[in-house]
Amino acid sequence: MNRFFRTFPTLLRVGFSGALAYRAEMLVWVLATTMPLIMLAFWTAVAHDAPIGRFGEKELVVYFLVTFIVRQLTGAWVAWEINFEVKQGTIGSKLLRPMHPALGWAADNLAAMPMRVVVSLPVAIIMLATTGGVGLPKTPLLWLAGMLALFGGWAITFLVNLVIGTLSFYMESSVKVMDAWTVLVFVFSGYLIPIELFPKTLRAITEMLPFRYSIGLPVEIFVGAHTPSELPWLLARQLMWVLAFLGLFLVLWRGGLRRYAAYGG
Amino acid sequence: MIEVRSLRKEYRVHKRAPGLAAALRSVFRRTYETIVAVDDVSFEVAAGERVGFLGPNGAGKTTTLKMLAGLLHPTSGEAHVDGHLPRKRERAFLEKIMLVMGQKQQLLWDLPPAETFELNRAIYDVPRAQYQETMAELDELLELGELVKKPTRQLSLGERMKCELAAALVHRPKVLFLDEPTIGLDVSMQASMRAFVKRYNERWNATILLTSHYMEDVLALCPRVVVIDKGQLSYDGTLEALVRRLRPEKRLILRLGAEVAEGDLARYGKVVEHEKLRVTLQIAHADVREVVPAMLAAFPVVDLTVEDPPLEEVMSELFARTRAAREKSEKAEKVGKTETSNDEKGDEA
C-alpha cells in the first residue's frame, strides 16, 4: 500500500503532462459532449409555455448544465486505448511492468480532471448567473453526497471502459460494444431526458440498470431531486454497480490474459 | 540464470481462403490451424552471458523470448529465469527482467522520454539516488543529452531506440531480452548500441539474450549463439565453432597491382570473386600458411587480408542444411509409413 502511495502521485503527474499534450483532443472531446446544451435548448422551448413535471425553464437550464459538467467530470475513454494496445501488441510493454495496467489508465483519466474542471467552470458560472442556482444543494451533506456520487459515476464509466476494452482479448474489436454502450447511456442515464420524466414502468426499469448511476444520480443530487434520507440507499446502489463492474473486469482481465498468453499479441 | 527445458508453443490460427465467398463462409464456420512456433527447445544461459538467439523470420525467436519474459505461456515444457517461472509474472521476477522489442515501443509518444523514465522509476520503486546514478550513467553511455527533453514523436528512429533502451534499464534488470534492438538503425547508431549493450553487460554482469538479423550485432556481442529454425534448435555453441564446422575454409582477399588471369589464380584455391584488380579466393584453413607466401611471390599483390567467410553465408548454409535434413527425415518417415501399410495390405491379402 505504501508503494501505491509512492507510485500514484507520479502516475498522476505524468498523466497530467499527457493531458496537457493532448490539448486539441480535449477540445474535440468537449465539443462532442455538448449534447446536453442542445437538449437544453430543446426542452426549455418545450417548457416555455408550461412546466414539464416539476421542471420549469430555470430548472431545465440547471439540470442540463449540471449534466454537461457531470459528463465532463465522469468521462473515461480507456476502452479505445486498450483495444488499440491489444491489436497493436503494445499492451505487452505494460504487462512487463510490475504494476497492474489499470492503475496507469486510472491515473491517466483522473489526471485529465483538472483540464475538465477548467472547461466546466465557465458553464457553472453561466448557470449561476442565469438561474441563481435554483435547486442546487443547500447543505454540505448534500454537496458531499453529490461529490461521492460524482466519483461513483466516474468509477462506473471507467470500469465499464475497462470491461469493454478487455473484451478485445476475446473478440476482433470491442469498440463497437463501446458504441452500443454509449447509445444506451445516452438514453437511460438521464443525459438526454431527466429520468423522472420517464413513464412510470420505464423509470422503474431504468432505476435498476447501471446507466443512471454513471451520470443521472450525481446530476439528480446536485439539482436537489432527492431528500437526504434517500441518499444512502441510492449511493449504496451505485456502489453495488461499481463493485459489480470491478468484479467483472477482474474476471475478464484474468481470462483475457490467459488467452493473450495462449495466442500471443 | 535461464533454463529452458523442452519448451513448446502451439498457436491456433484462424485460416481462410481469399475472396468474398470465403469471407462470408468464415462468418458462420471458422477453420483453424495449429501452428507449432517452438518445438522441444532446451538450452541454458549462465549469469552474465551474452547469447545470440538466431534464426530466419518465423523461426520462433520472438515467441521464445516472450515466453521467457512471461508474456506467453508455453504449451508444454518449462522455463526458469533466475529461479522464477516466467508465466507466473511475479513482481520479483518482473523487477529483474526487461524485454526490449525493436519494433514495439514503451515510450510515451507525446511526452519527452524523461517522463517515461520518471514513470518507470515510480513503477519499479527505484530509490531516487539510485535513479539519478543510473540516469547519469545512461546519459554518458548513450549520449542522451537534450534528447530526453524532446517529445518522443519528434525523435529520429535511432534517438528513440536509445531512449527506449534507457527506459528499459531504469530499474537495472539482471536479465535483458533484446529482440532486434538495432532494426532500422544506421550503421553508426548500430555500432553505438552494440557498444552500449556490451558495457551494460560488463558493468552489471547482466545476462543478455539477443535476437538480430544483423550479423554484425552477433559478431560484436555474442560469443555464443543458439540457432533455431522452424521452432527447433539446430545449433548451440560458440560462434567460432559454428563457422569452423560449416565453413572450414578461409577467404583470401587480394588487391592486385595488375590484372591476373583467373586460371592462374584458380591454381591456389576456389575463385569466389574476381573483379579486375580485386580477387577473393577460398582456401582450406590448413593451406593458408603455404598459399599466402606463394601468392605474394607469384602476383603483384598490393594488399592481402585473410578472413572467415561472411556470417550471413554461414547462417544460410546452416538453415539450408537443417531444412534438408528435416525434409529427408520426413520423407523417410513417409516412405516407412507407406511400406508398413503395404506390408499390412500384403498380410491381409
Side-chain angles (χ1 to χ4, degrees):
Chain A
M1 204 56 170
N2 278 345
R3 195 169 176 150
F4 171 81
F5 286 114
R6 280 201 302 276
T7 309
F8 209 67
T10 307
L11 298 186
L12 284 175
R13 196 193 56 71
V14 174
F16 183 63
S17 304
L20 292 178
Y22 292 111
R23 294 184 306 268
E25 196 183 56
M26 179 81 195
L27 187 68
V28 172
W29 159 261
V30 171
L31 290 176
T33 54
T34 48
M35 185 59 95
L37 306 183
I38 296 165
M39 295 320 289
L40 168 65
F42 174 75
W43 284 108
T44 46
V46 175
H48 185 69
D49 298 327
I52 311 159
R54 70 173 182 86
F55 289 94
E57 270 183 279
K58 273 190 179 175
E59 284 79 7
L60 280 169
V61 170
V62 172
Y63 183 90
F64 283 110
L65 293 185
V66 169
T67 303
F68 175 81
I69 294 170
V70 167
R71 171 94 163 119
Q72 289 303 318
L73 300 182
T74 55
W77 51 92
V78 72
W80 285 271
E81 209 170 317
I82 302 177
N83 193 74
F84 179 80
E85 293 205 21
V86 172
K87 295 301 144 215
Q88 294 295 312
T90 47
I91 190 92
S93 70
K94 289 206 164 68
L95 298 176
L96 284 171
R97 289 173 173 163
M99 183 190 83
H100 199 298
L103 282 179
W105 290 318
D108 279 353
N109 270 228
L110 289 172
M113 288 305 162
M115 293 277 285
R116 286 158 182 263
V117 169
V118 168
V119 171
S120 304
L121 269 177
V123 178
I125 292 166
I126 292 167
M127 176 177 66
L128 288 172
T130 54
T131 66
V134 58
L136 288 181
K138 301 281 185 297
T139 65
L141 182 76
L142 281 170
W143 276 102
L144 179 69
M147 297 312 263
L148 278 176
L150 192 65
F151 184 74
W154 172 78
I156 290 176
T157 312
F158 176 70
L159 286 165
V160 166
N161 265 265
L162 286 184
V163 165
I164 294 174
T166 303
L167 289 178
S168 20
F169 285 122
Y170 299 85
M171 54 207 287
E172 298 288 334
S173 169
S174 63
V175 169
K176 294 289 165 210
V177 181
M178 196 66 221
D179 291 345
W181 174 269
T182 308
V183 170
L184 292 171
V185 166
F186 276 18
V187 178
F188 293 110
S189 70
Y191 187 64
L192 300 181
I193 309 162
I195 288 168
E196 61 179 281
L197 297 182
F198 281 12
K200 206 174 167 191
T201 318
L202 186 60
R203 184 178 169 182
I205 294 169
T206 305
E207 284 173 359
M208 309 243 283
L209 298 173
F211 312 104
R212 174 217 192 180
Y213 300 90
S214 64
I215 294 179
L217 181 64
V219 174
E220 291 162 21
I221 296 175
F222 283 126
V223 301
H226 298 294
T227 59
S229 61
E230 292 170 333
L231 295 177
W233 172 235
L234 288 168
L235 290 174
R237 274 191 179 184
Q238 189 187 44
L239 180 65
M240 188 199 77
W241 281 114
V242 171
L243 294 176
F245 284 120
L246 177 65
L248 182 61
F249 163 63
L250 292 174
V251 170
L252 284 173
W253 180 260
R254 190 176 300 172
L257 281 194
R258 265 204 300 273
R259 282 178 72 93
Y260 182 79
Y263 302 123
Chain B
M1 180 59 75
I2 301 173
E3 288 169 49
V4 176
R5 292 269 163 276
S6 308
L7 207 61
R8 183 180 172 89
K9 179 70 190 172
E10 292 172 4
Y11 292 116
R12 202 170 68 118
V13 292
H14 172 214
K15 194 183 160 193
R16 83 164 169 82
L20 184 63
L24 285 172
R25 260 199 311 277
S26 80
V27 173
F28 300 101
R29 198 178 156 191
R30 296 207 158 193
T31 48
Y32 291 92
E33 188 183 15
T34 301
I35 304 285
V36 181
V38 176
D39 186 9
D40 195 26
V41 166
S42 303
F43 61 89
E44 282 179 17
V45 180
E49 247 193 303
R50 293 190 308 263
V51 177
F53 198 47
L54 309 178
N57 286 333
K61 306 182 296 289
T62 304
T63 301
T64 307
L65 289 195
K66 282 184 170 176
M67 283 194 279
L68 292 177
L71 287 180
L72 295 179
H73 293 180
T75 307
S76 64
E78 265 196 3
H80 285 90
V81 177
D82 200 20
H84 298 274
L85 274 174
R87 65 185 161 82
K88 287 191 172 172
R89 296 179 61 247
E90 295 155 329
R91 185 176 190 108
F93 165 73
L94 294 173
E95 283 175 348
K96 286 179 189 169
I97 64 134
M98 184 41 93
L99 166 65
V100 178
M101 304 178 86
Q103 305 191 63
K104 302 266 161 73
Q105 64 160 48
Q106 67 150 322
L107 293 173
L108 298 163
W109 185 247
D110 286 296
L111 296 180
E115 296 282 21
T116 308
F117 302 160
E118 183 60 28
L119 189 72
N120 282 0
R121 183 202 64 74
I123 291 172
Y124 287 94
D125 204 19
V126 179
R128 185 64 72 174
Q130 184 190 316
Y131 171 70
Q132 276 159 357
E133 191 193 333
T134 307
M135 289 321 297
E137 274 182 35
L138 291 171
D139 186 19
E140 187 201 326
L141 292 174
L142 287 166
E143 294 168 6
L144 298 174
E146 293 297 301
L147 292 183
V148 301
K149 294 177 191 163
K150 281 204 248 170
T152 301
R153 62 167 189 273
Q154 288 176 7
L155 300 177
S156 71
L157 180 63
E159 291 170 338
R160 215 160 65 214
M161 204 53 219
K162 275 187 187 182
C163 296
E164 281 288 345
L165 255 189
L169 302 179
V170 165
H171 64 292
R172 290 185 193 160
K174 284 168 74 177
V175 182
L176 194 52
F177 302 111
L178 298 172
D179 190 19
E180 302 195 36
T182 54
I183 195 159
L185 303 187
D186 66 38
V187 181
S188 75
M189 194 60 82
Q190 283 178 27
S192 62
M193 292 292 270
R194 278 177 216 128
F196 172 74
V197 170
K198 201 169 179 179
R199 286 274 302 270
Y200 183 78
N201 155 264
E202 287 163 357
R203 170 83 169 85
W204 300 106
N205 195 37
T207 308
I208 290 173
L209 198 52
L210 167 124
T211 79
S212 179
H213 287 294
Y214 298 124
M215 289 305 142
E216 289 296 323
D217 290 350
V218 182
L219 274 170
L221 285 173
C222 308
R224 177 184 157 199
V225 291
V226 171
V227 184
I228 64 167
D229 190 10
K230 298 239 166 142
Q232 291 179 333
L233 195 99
S234 59
Y235 178 79
D236 181 357
T238 64
L239 195 54
E240 219 182 354
L242 175 67
V243 174
R244 255 202 323 268
R245 194 179 90 186
L246 292 175
R247 287 287 175 92
E249 307 89 1
K250 285 275 179 185
R251 297 232 164 145
L252 294 191
I253 299 162
L254 301 148
R255 200 150 59 80
L256 302 169
E259 284 195 45
V260 175
E262 192 156 322
D264 295 338
L265 292 165
R267 278 190 282 142
Y268 296 90
K270 184 182 167 195
V271 180
V272 179
E273 211 178 355
H274 185 191
E275 248 181 73
K276 287 188 177 171
L277 300 176
R278 196 186 144 82
V279 179
T280 305
L281 280 187
Q282 192 160 294
I283 60 170
H285 193 276
D287 296 341
V288 173
R289 276 169 173 273
E290 281 174 31
V291 170
V292 170
M295 291 192 86
L296 286 173
F299 304 121
V301 178
V302 176
D303 188 30
L304 183 147
T305 50
V306 183
E307 288 181 1
D308 282 320
L311 199 50
E312 281 81 358
E313 280 184 23
V314 177
M315 297 312 295
S316 14
E317 177 148 349
L318 176 64
F319 300 148
R321 282 191 194 187
T322 316
R323 276 174 196 178
R326 192 178 300 132
E327 275 164 23
K328 202 174 161 188
S329 80
E330 279 169 7
K331 219 174 183 180
E333 212 171 282
K334 238 183 222 170
V335 171
K337 270 184 192 163
T338 321
E339 279 172 2
T340 318
S341 83
N342 284 344
D343 287 349
E344 280 166 4
K345 274 182 195 163
D347 289 346
E348 279 166 22

